[in-house]
Amino acid sequence: MDFKKVLSRTTIVALTLSTLLFYNCNKDDDSPEEMGETETPTYTANIEGIMAGNCTTCHASTPTNGAPMSLVTYNQVVDAVNNRNLVSRINSTSAPMPQTGRMSATLRETIERWVEAGMPEN
Ligand code: HEC
């Protein structure tokens, strides 16, 4: 094997290593996303807004379009998680809520983390 080939292999290895290093460093710097995943969502800060933006057109204080309950207050949302399978319904592909299609993974994960944290109000 001649010198040029050795050199180009070395270059490829070096490039691969530096790409990996860069990727890892970059991941460490990605603090907003990582912080978002460790912060505990609360009803007031996160969930109320998600419900208002995606659910309360039907799950209003007086429910419309055939929705069976409201999702306007803290207690109503907690009740829907505990007794009406809210988490399964937002993740369902066969009967999703909202009916028009599932929300983004980020929003669904925020709701799941809130439930796992014990559904804090504030
Ligand atoms: C376009 C109107 C509409 C929107 C928007 C909507 N829903 Fe619904 N929802 C309904 C209707 C109608 C039902 C009853 C039929 C069914 O269960 O599919 C229902 C049922 C549900 C149920 C099951 C209730 C039970 O007792 O079985 C849950 C939980 C639910 N919705 C949560 C949500 C959440 C959370 C959102 C927002 C992320 C949402 N829905 C958005 C119309 C809507």
Side-chain angles (χ1 to χ4, degrees), residues 29-98:
D29 288 345
D30 219 357
S31 41
E33 193 184 282
E34 289 189 1
M35 270 177 66
E37 278 165 15
T38 51
E39 266 170 27
T40 303
T42 68
Y43 176 76
T44 314
N46 310 90
I47 307 303
E48 189 174 14
I50 299 176
M51 295 297 131
N54 299 278
C55 317
T56 59
T57 41
C58 303
H59 297 272
S61 14
T62 303
T64 55
N65 300 319
M69 77 294 187
S70 356
L71 292 173
V72 174
T73 68
Y74 172 72
N75 286 334
Q76 288 165 347
V77 177
V78 168
D79 180 72
V81 170
N82 288 333
N83 303 310
R84 292 176 182 270
N85 297 322
L86 186 147
V87 173
S88 332
R89 290 301 299 268
I90 60 170
N91 287 312
S92 168
T93 45
S94 53
M97 280 295 140

